[in-house]
Structure formats: C-alpha cells, structure tokens
Amino acid sequence: MLLQKPKKNNQSGKGNRLLVTINVLGSAGPLRFVVNEEELVAAVIDTALKSYAREGRLPVLGSDLNNFLLYCANAGGDALSPLDAIGSRGRRNFVLCKKQKPQQESRSVGGRIQVGDGKSSPTEMRKGNGSWKSWLNKSISLKIYSH
C-alpha cells in the first residue's frame, strides 16, 4: 500500500509560481529563476542583480536596482513599473536594461567651456546610444548569406 502525501493547497497566500527568464543586455545568456506571481517587479530586479553577481557574469552591473528597468521581451512598450506584480502582464520573458543617464553637452564659447543642462532635441536623442529595442532591430536586420 502506497502512502500519498497530501497536496498543498495553492491558496495558502503564496500564489502561483513562475519560471521567469531575464535577458541582460551585454551578457552571454539569460538568468532563470522561480518567483511568485505577486512578487513586485523591484524585488525581481533585485533578485536578478544578485544572481547575476553571484554567478560572476560580465559586464559588472552593480547592485542598485533603481538604476535598471525591466521590459517584457515579447511586447513593445514601456518598462514595467517597480510597484507592479511580476505576473500582472502574463509574461515570463523579460529584458533587463540599465537606465540611460542624461548626457551633458560641453562646448567651447569664447575660450570657456560651457556644460549644457542635459536637454536635447528629439533628433539629437535619436543619434545617441539608443535603446535595447533599436539594438535588437539592428542585430536582427543583419542578414547572413551562406554563399
């Protein structure tokens, strides 16, 4: 006679668990770990940064979760709010990006160097480093011919 363990009730306040995949720009491969679907995006970013550092991955990112944004990988749009639940969008694949710091212009006027206030026109912003989406589009658009 086999004894079966009683199944745990999933409604004990823990919620559903998700296996999330987080791609970090510039890293060799994705991070994968299990989270509760009610866990905040900020906590998931923190867990991802700690896991990334523990594995000794490069480039070194730092540990301040306020310097990073989490995007849904398969959906366009804005970054997830740090106060949203990770399971609120129904997605499991994400991209972790470092926030872009405003660039200051420096120019020489009359022999003196003036530093701008970081405000740029939209055309100047398009010429800058760009986002992960533009990088991804450029990478995908490269065609490899076999002959």
Side-chain angles (χ1 to χ4, degrees):
M1 175 181 200
L2 294 171
L3 296 176
Q4 293 182 344
K5 293 183 181 179
K7 292 184 179 179
K8 292 183 180 179
N9 188 358
N10 213 10
Q11 308 220 351
S12 62
K14 286 189 176 182
N16 291 331
R17 295 173 64 135
L18 303 172
L19 175 65
V20 295
T21 302
I22 299 179
N23 290 298
V24 180
L25 286 182
S27 182
L31 298 167
R32 290 185 181 95
F33 51 91
V34 177
V35 296
N36 289 328
E37 68 180 359
E38 291 94 18
E39 198 163 345
L40 297 179
V41 169
V44 173
I45 293 172
D46 187 48
T47 302
L49 291 174
K50 287 178 182 175
S51 176
Y52 187 91
R54 188 178 327 115
E55 293 177 14
R57 292 182 179 223
L58 294 175
V60 176
L61 297 176
S63 60
D64 186 6
L65 64 99
N66 295 318
N67 292 336
F68 294 90
L69 296 171
L70 193 66
Y71 293 89
C72 291
N74 299 334
D78 296 330
L80 299 174
S81 168
L83 301 176
D84 284 347
I86 193 70
S88 65
R89 302 271 177 114
R91 307 283 181 176
R92 296 180 183 203
N93 296 319
F94 302 96
V95 177
L96 183 67
C97 301
K98 202 162 195 171
K99 288 182 182 177
Q100 296 291 324
K101 294 183 180 178
Q103 296 177 353
Q104 291 188 346
E105 289 182 30
S106 64
R107 57 180 179 243
S108 177
V109 177
R112 299 180 67 188
I113 296 177
Q114 293 181 339
V115 177
D117 59 358
K119 295 179 184 176
S120 304
S121 70
T123 55
E124 289 174 340
M125 291 176 72
R126 275 186 244 132
K127 293 179 185 176
N129 291 337
S131 67
W132 67 271
K133 292 176 191 175
S134 63
W135 174 84
L136 184 63
N137 286 334
K138 287 178 187 176
S139 298
I140 291 173
S141 69
L142 296 176
K143 299 188 189 242
I144 300 173
Y145 297 103
S146 61
H147 299 285

